[in-house]
Amino acid sequence: MESSSSSPQTPQSDPLEAFPQRSLEPGDIAVLVLYFIFVLAVGLWSTVKTKRDTVKGYFLAGADMVWWPVGASLFASNVGSGHFVGLAGSGAATGISVTAYELSGLFLVLMLAWIFLPIYIAGQVDMYAGAIFIQQSLHLDLYMAIVGLLAITALYTIAGFAAIGGMEGLKEKYFLALASNRSENSSCGLPREDAFHIFRDPLTSDLPWPGIIFGMSIPSLWYWCTDQVIVQRSLAAKNMSHAKGGSLMAAYLKVLPLFIMVFPGMVSRVLFPDQVACADPETCLKVCSNPSGCSDIAYPKLVLELLPTGLRGLMMAVMVAALMSSLTSIFNSASTIFTMDLWNYIRPRASEKELMIVGRAFVLLLVLVSIAWIPVVQASQGGQLFIYIQSISSYLQPPVAVVFIMGCFWKRTNEKGAFSGLILGLLLGLIRMVLDFVYVQPRCDQPDDRPSVVKDIHYLYFSMILSAVTLITVSTVSWFTEPPSKEMVSRLTWFTRHDPIVQKEQVPPATPLPLTISQNGTPEASVTNIQLEIVQENISQCHSCDTTPKRSKVVRAILWLCGMDSSGKEPPSKAEPVIVSLEENPLVKTLLDINLIICISCSIFLWGYFA
């Protein structure tokens, strides 16, 4: 007879559970807490140091960054937690083809510095840097997060490759990484035969090679060469040479994602096939709450299983910091555009306090919309986060990119042509995007009954079609309408960037008329009366400003935390142009050009080796 007081058996963990150890060790929690205490301290220090209660203090960034912070910020702004999770997940699901996006970005970040930045500088672009954190509050946090991610990722990448026998072991075992509960009569869950190739079949593959070359380039050009989040980093450089050096640094860093994100995702599939490579919808729902697939857990699964106590907590901390940096960058830049370009146009007399409140309210709205959009992301593109992002980009970005390219390189492009191309292109892109949401991609074991425009036209091919339609529309409308004047395109295109600067005539401010009576008596008297009334009104407003009631300490503390403290207010000021000269030191320019050739050669080698 067994004793009733026997010790209870430790419950067996479910083999299909993605993360059986749900709680962090005390060492992980300690590292996590210490990291965020440091981040909070840096943030509070920057809050005290900077003036955030004015438009200039909140939106305006200086132009004194040298090449290495420019390059680091370019790479860090592009690569966040979404990249680590998304690229690793796509690598686990389909192989290395997703690397094409990173290698394509390598060329385009160089185009930003060598082709597009001179146009921006020649036009003396006034850039309101929505990411003040680059130079202040998140300057250290952003770099520390990315450096921490890269360093720890290198550790578990080495550990993962050692566990499977290196690169040769990965090539052999990846094709054998099948879920144990997969049906033998189904092709679902099988690794792709072309998993180690970037260029794939133009008709039946997940990323057709014509789409990679042509369809991928247009949305990527929009992102790297026109998006404010990226361009403002380069415009923060102290001169043209430092901007080029920063782009070169970012280009070299763009080689890393293949080795520290995509390959580790494939390693995770080899080590944990039942979870990462699950093919049955019910099993996937149990593993990761997503019946479309669980490949996106490849990266966190590898981290939590291979890293020791302490490093797990540090990895979680830097992942969250990278996520916060990416979201801050995007939200802040979107808020800048809405506040300074749209709201300021609707209400040109808006006070600085109103602009600050509107900017923060718009960020809050973006956060709420982002949270509501999560279920849509889960159900799209077979549960692959990175592919979902790229498909949406292919529907919305090509019209903007084509119009921008036409404006930079064809002086005949006018407002009517650009507007017509944008409207038609965005309308077609929105229709295709809505169709993708309505007709969701079926699972592997289900028939595909979607319309042909969704089923048979890959999103990269649709990007090519959309670009062609926009190009034809802009060209046709611009050709048959009035061309822009010479003054309108001066220093704003590639071919006019060296035009002489034309100083606009400054209209002198109106001076008060003397209190004299003219021969007819009436006009001067009426003007003088109006001026006196204005002066009296301004004086009364000043008196009312001086008598502003004092706020309580609690209200003042809340306003200070939100950056709305009115003490030490400075008058509104327009952003000064950033880099203002295209001149470069001949020796430095030659060295940069040689480095450019080396960087492009390395990229071409990688394309050829993995193609």
Side-chain angles (χ1 to χ4, degrees):
M1 180 176 178
E2 295 183 359
S3 173
S4 58
S5 61
S6 60
S7 59
Q9 296 294 324
T10 304
Q12 294 291 329
S13 61
D14 191 338
L16 292 180
E17 193 171 359
F19 307 104
Q21 185 178 345
R22 293 186 179 274
S23 59
L24 292 175
E25 297 290 335
D28 296 323
I29 297 175
V31 171
L32 188 65
V33 171
L34 289 175
Y35 183 89
F36 280 105
I37 289 176
F38 176 76
V39 170
L40 181 61
V42 173
L44 291 176
W45 169 79
S46 66
T47 299
V48 174
K49 182 181 177 182
T50 59
K51 291 182 178 180
R52 301 175 302 138
D53 59 336
T54 64
V55 174
K56 180 178 180 180
Y58 185 69
F59 290 117
L60 180 59
D64 56 357
M65 293 175 70
V66 295
W67 64 272
W68 68 266
V70 172
S73 60
L74 283 170
F75 183 71
S77 298
N78 170 240
V79 175
S81 56
H83 263 67
F84 280 85
V85 173
L87 284 175
S90 294
T94 62
I96 69 170
S97 62
V98 73
T99 309
Y101 285 99
E102 302 306 303
L103 297 180
S104 175
L106 188 155
F107 288 105
L108 294 169
V109 73
L110 296 174
M111 288 181 61
L112 167 64
W114 264 264
I115 297 179
F116 287 92
L117 205 58
I119 300 175
Y120 299 147
I121 297 171
Q124 295 187 358
V125 180
D126 291 341
M127 289 296 292
Y128 287 95
I132 189 70
F133 66 90
I134 291 181
Q135 298 171 330
Q136 302 296 339
S137 61
L138 290 179
H139 194 153
L140 296 177
D141 305 343
L142 183 65
Y143 300 153
M144 286 182 59
I146 296 302
V147 170
L149 279 173
L150 297 181
I152 300 175
T153 299
L155 290 178
Y156 77 70
T157 300
I158 294 172
F161 270 104
I164 64 173
M167 192 66 186
E168 294 301 322
L170 176 62
K171 290 182 177 179
E172 176 185 352
K173 297 177 181 178
Y174 179 80
F175 297 102
L176 303 176
L178 305 175
S180 58
N181 55 6
R182 188 187 69 86
S183 173
E184 296 294 336
N185 298 325
S186 172
S187 61
C188 299
L190 290 176
R192 293 185 60 91
E193 295 180 359
D194 53 5
F196 286 87
H197 298 283
I198 294 178
F199 286 171
R200 300 182 176 181
D201 188 272
L203 297 178
T204 61
S205 67
D206 57 329
L207 286 178
W209 68 263
I212 287 178
I213 296 177
F214 303 105
M216 184 182 294
S217 301
I218 299 298
S220 296
L221 185 144
W222 172 87
Y223 175 79
W224 284 106
C225 299
T226 72
D227 184 48
Q228 187 194 18
V229 175
I230 298 298
V231 173
Q232 66 191 13
R233 273 67 175 165
S234 292
L235 287 173
K238 64 192 304 182
N239 57 42
M240 189 68 200
S241 297
H242 281 279
K244 287 183 176 180
S247 286
L248 277 169
M249 178 180 175
Y252 282 119
L253 291 175
K254 289 296 287 181
V255 177
L256 294 179
L258 170 63
F259 300 98
I260 65 173
M261 300 177 196
V262 179
F263 281 149
M266 301 173 74
V267 169
S268 183
R269 176 181 178 128
V270 173
L271 296 177
F272 316 105
D274 286 340
Q275 292 91 1
V276 177
C278 71
D280 179 62
E282 294 183 359
T283 303
C284 293
L285 190 64
K286 187 176 182 180
V287 171
C288 62
S289 303
N290 186 0
S292 299
C294 293
S295 59
D296 279 340
I297 71 169
Y299 178 81
K301 180 71 175 175
L302 196 66
V303 168
L304 295 179
E305 293 289 342
L306 295 186
L307 289 181
T309 301
L311 280 182
R312 279 200 303 263
L314 181 59
M315 192 64 177
M316 181 172 293
V318 295
M319 277 287 288
V320 173
L323 174 63
M324 291 166 58
S325 298
S326 300
L327 292 178
T328 302
S329 173
I330 295 170
F331 289 159
N332 216 342
S333 293
S335 172
T336 302
I337 294 174
F338 178 81
T339 305
M340 305 308 297
D341 292 340
L342 297 180
W343 191 263
N344 226 359
Y345 179 79
I346 298 172
R347 289 180 54 83
R349 297 183 180 223
S351 64
E352 289 202 350
K353 185 175 182 179
E354 178 181 340
L355 293 177
M356 300 298 293
I357 294 175
V358 169
R360 285 168 167 80
F362 188 73
V363 170
L364 179 60
L365 176 63
L366 289 177
V367 171
L368 296 177
V369 172
S370 302
I371 295 174
W373 202 256
I374 291 176
V376 178
V377 178
Q378 271 192 316
S380 300
Q381 298 297 332
Q384 294 188 53
L385 172 65
F386 193 80
I387 300 301
Y388 163 78
I389 296 172
Q390 303 308 324
S391 64
I392 297 299
S393 300
S394 298
Y395 302 150
L396 301 179
Q397 294 173 358
V400 182
V402 170
V403 167
F404 193 85
I405 294 172
M406 294 286 287
C408 288
F409 297 100
W410 190 39
K411 294 187 290 184
R412 191 66 173 73
T413 306
N414 60 20
E415 181 181 356
K416 294 180 180 179
F419 181 78
S420 302
L422 275 178
I423 293 299
L424 180 60
L426 290 176
L427 181 62
L428 294 176
L430 286 172
I431 291 175
R432 171 59 193 264
M433 186 175 71
V434 171
L435 289 176
D436 263 11
F437 292 152
V438 173
Y439 299 98
V440 180
Q441 181 180 352
R443 295 194 297 265
C444 175
D445 56 346
Q446 294 179 338
D448 193 347
D449 298 327
R450 295 176 297 169
S452 296
V453 67
V454 178
K455 177 177 64 175
D456 299 329
I457 301 179
H458 193 275
Y459 65 85
L460 290 178
Y461 287 149
F462 186 82
S463 172
M464 297 166 59
I465 296 172
L466 199 56
S467 300
V469 170
T470 305
L471 177 65
I472 294 172
T473 303
V474 174
S475 303
T476 303
V477 176
S478 296
W479 187 261
F480 287 101
T481 53
E482 183 180 359
S485 63
K486 185 178 180 180
E487 291 76 15
M488 293 178 66
V489 297
S490 178
R491 299 182 65 84
L492 292 177
T493 72
W494 175 260
F495 304 102
T496 62
R497 68 188 189 281
H498 293 302
D499 286 1
I501 300 177
V502 178
Q503 299 292 344
K504 296 182 179 180
E505 295 183 1
Q506 299 293 333
V507 180
T511 56
L513 296 177
L515 296 176
T516 57
I517 305 299
S518 65
Q519 294 179 357
N520 55 13
T522 305
E524 278 78 3
S526 61
V527 172
T528 303
N529 290 336
I530 294 174
Q531 290 173 346
L532 289 174
E533 290 175 3
I534 294 175
V535 171
Q536 291 175 353
E537 181 181 354
N538 291 336
I539 292 175
S540 64
Q541 289 178 354
C542 292
H543 283 302
S544 64
C545 294
D546 295 336
T547 58
T548 302
K550 293 184 178 180
R551 302 187 181 99
S552 65
K553 293 182 179 180
V554 176
V555 173
R556 280 185 291 174
I558 295 174
L559 291 177
W560 178 80
L561 287 173
C562 295
M564 299 301 299
D565 187 12
S566 59
S567 59
K569 184 182 292 185
E570 60 181 40
S573 58
K574 186 181 178 182
E576 295 294 331
V578 281
I579 309 173
V580 294
S581 175
L582 295 177
E583 298 297 328
E584 297 180 73
N585 182 292
L587 177 60
V588 175
K589 184 177 184 299
T590 301
L591 292 176
L592 289 170
D593 291 341
I594 293 174
N595 216 330
L596 171 69
I597 296 173
I598 295 174
C599 185
I600 293 177
S601 301
C602 293
S603 177
I604 292 175
F605 169 77
L606 289 175
W607 274 101
Y609 184 82
F610 290 106

